[in-house]
Amino acid sequence: GKGGHRHFMAKEIFEQPQVIGDTLSAMFNPTARTITLPDLPFDPATVPRITMIACGTASLAGMVGKYWLERHAGIPVDWDLASEFRYREPVMTEGGLAVFISQSGETADTLAALRYCKQQGQYCLGIVNAPESTIAREAHAVLPTLAGPEIGVASTKAFTTQLVVLACLTIALGKARGALDHETEARLSGALTEVPSRAAEVLNHDERIRAIAEETFVPARDVLYLGRGTSYPLALEGALKLKEISYIHAEGYAAGEMKHGPIALIDEHVPVVVIAPSDDLFEKTASNVQEVVARGGKAVVFADDAGVGRLKDLALETIALPAVDPFVAPILYAIPVQLLAYHTAVAKGTDVDQPRNLAKAVTVE
Ligand code: F6R
């Protein structure tokens, strides 16, 4: 059942504190504060390169993973959409690791990319939610997301648990390669353990986000989402979520790209969602908010208390999320973005769990 919620999507959004905790517990030792991955069929210390491959929302988890692995594990990471990768005959580094992210484990393009990578002699690692799926069976190793069945077509808890697995993979590889000192490892793992309780706090903003959705997003024809660093894939995810369930046209942009074109779209009719956790890019994002507002745009800002303090006079709306280590911000900022899409769609009266033209698993290309 829907656990008292109106839609599976709402139930699944609200399950996130629990399933994030479950996924983390499988890999995290709370006393030693260390991450332990299952035995992997490759040596994490010597993997020369990673290729991250998936479709849709799973690909956006992979993009966050790329940013994390480059920064904290010092490994070069290529990122690709499975539907592009599989037909390009990409050149692959010998002994490389290929990571396939999939909720269903049955996505045709992701599976075809996995088979190609096997032929190319890559170690193939699946991050999969359905343990009996084809991708789980054909990969050399699997790191499971313990999200439980996801029924709503729009991916929510699968996405955040994919992020948790990628965060653990980042810490484990960073450690194995000597890229993380002990102090940083403890800081990153400590930040991860706080995520379930912080996620529960974020869910308290549900009512407020519903009000913003009804007032500002339901009437909109176009919406922009902006972010930098790991908030850039979150901007893409926010736009994807909104368009697939509310049918409002939305685009995610790297905030620094605004003046290369999309700023021409801004006027008083365009809500601009800004994902701005306190991190080393906050000030840069803040100046993009200024540019948006100067052109009449309606900025809706997701930030922590410090960020809200800095931007509340400029923005139309602000939501103050808990202050967290920037490492885990993408996991937490996924939640308001999901709630915003959900409430906009509910208010518009669309079929939230079964949006038109979409299937839960895309088993044909
Ligand atoms: C969006 C969504 C899709 C899936 C994509 C990949 O909300 O659900 O974009 O993420 O079809 O599906 P899986 O993860 O099953 O390979």
Side-chain angles (χ1 to χ4, degrees):
K2 295 172 189 159
H5 291 276
R6 240 175 109 183
H7 300 95
F8 283 109
M9 185 178 178
K11 170 178 176 263
E12 290 160 4
I13 290 172
F14 277 82
E15 277 171 356
Q16 290 177 111
Q18 178 69 44
V19 296
I20 287 169
D22 295 345
T23 302
L24 191 58
S25 302
M27 290 172 287
F28 185 74
N29 177 332
T31 22
R33 295 209 141 207
T34 51
I35 304 285
T36 320
L37 299 182
D39 277 340
L40 296 173
F42 60 90
D43 179 2
T46 58
V47 160
R49 190 168 200 96
I50 295 178
T51 310
M52 197 75 77
I53 303 169
C55 300
T57 287
S59 80
L60 300 173
M63 197 187 286
V64 174
K66 168 185 164 78
Y67 282 49
W68 278 341
L69 283 156
E70 288 174 344
R71 170 166 299 202
H72 300 294
I75 309 180
V77 182
D78 295 316
W79 173 93
D80 222 321
L81 296 168
S83 56
E84 285 300 311
F85 176 89
R86 64 175 291 193
Y87 294 115
R88 218 175 55 235
E89 299 181 31
V91 181
M92 307 206 74
T93 306
E94 206 180 308
L97 171 67
V99 179
F100 302 87
I101 309 165
S102 178
Q103 188 286 126
S104 64
E106 302 294 347
T107 300
D109 285 326
T110 309
L111 179 59
L114 184 153
R115 289 175 177 159
Y116 176 85
C117 287
K118 269 179 132 175
Q119 276 166 11
Q120 300 295 307
Q122 303 292 296
Y123 297 109
C124 294
L125 179 64
I127 297 179
V128 179
N129 196 46
E132 311 292 324
S133 60
T134 314
I135 291 174
R137 271 200 319 274
E138 293 196 17
H140 296 119
V142 173
L143 296 177
T145 51
L146 302 180
E150 192 181 63
I151 311 293
V153 162
S155 182
T156 53
K157 60 177 181 168
F159 177 69
T160 46
T161 53
Q162 285 158 357
L163 291 178
V164 168
V165 171
L166 288 161
C168 291
L169 183 67
T170 299
I171 294 172
L173 295 198
K175 193 178 173 193
R177 301 164 76 82
L180 274 186
D181 56 49
H182 190 74
E183 200 180 310
T184 313
E185 186 201 352
R187 175 173 67 80
L188 301 184
S189 350
L192 262 179
T193 56
E194 283 186 19
V195 170
S197 57
R198 296 289 98 81
E201 289 171 38
V202 173
L203 289 167
N204 291 331
H205 293 287
D206 184 46
E207 265 308 304
R208 177 79 206 298
I209 293 172
R210 185 178 60 76
I212 295 173
E214 289 173 3
E215 189 158 333
T216 304
F217 289 77
V218 171
R221 197 191 59 179
D222 306 286
V223 176
L224 286 184
Y225 287 75
L226 303 180
R228 287 175 182 256
T230 53
S231 299
Y232 165 47
L234 265 290
L236 296 173
E237 169 60 3
L240 175 58
K241 217 90 297 177
L242 187 72
K243 68 187 127 187
E244 73 176 320
I245 61 170
S246 77
Y247 315 146
I248 294 172
H249 170 242
E251 291 196 56
Y253 270 100
E257 272 291 295
M258 281 300 281
K259 41 169 89 69
H260 300 284
I263 200 157
L265 293 171
I266 303 288
D267 64 19
E268 64 279 11
H269 303 296
V270 184
V272 180
V273 179
V274 185
I275 299 162
S278 288
D279 59 18
D280 53 0
L281 296 169
F282 177 85
E283 282 306 323
K284 301 223 173 284
T285 306
S287 41
N288 298 120
V289 175
Q290 210 129 29
E291 291 158 8
V292 163
V293 172
R295 285 156 187 83
K298 297 190 278 196
V300 174
V301 174
F302 296 140
D304 60 20
D305 276 328
V308 164
R310 175 86 173 65
L311 293 171
K312 67 173 181 309
D313 294 338
L314 281 175
L316 174 71
E317 303 281 2
T318 53
I319 297 274
L321 302 171
V324 290
D325 191 290
F327 178 56
V328 298
I331 312 177
L332 290 162
Y333 282 65
I335 296 172
V337 145
Q338 297 163 350
L339 288 171
L340 185 61
Y342 173 73
H343 287 299
T344 304
V346 170
K348 290 199 76 176
T350 59
D351 189 345
V352 173
D353 284 334
Q354 293 277 340
R356 66 187 183 199
N357 311 335
L358 291 173
K360 183 64 185 160
V362 183
T363 53
V364 292
E365 61 173 291

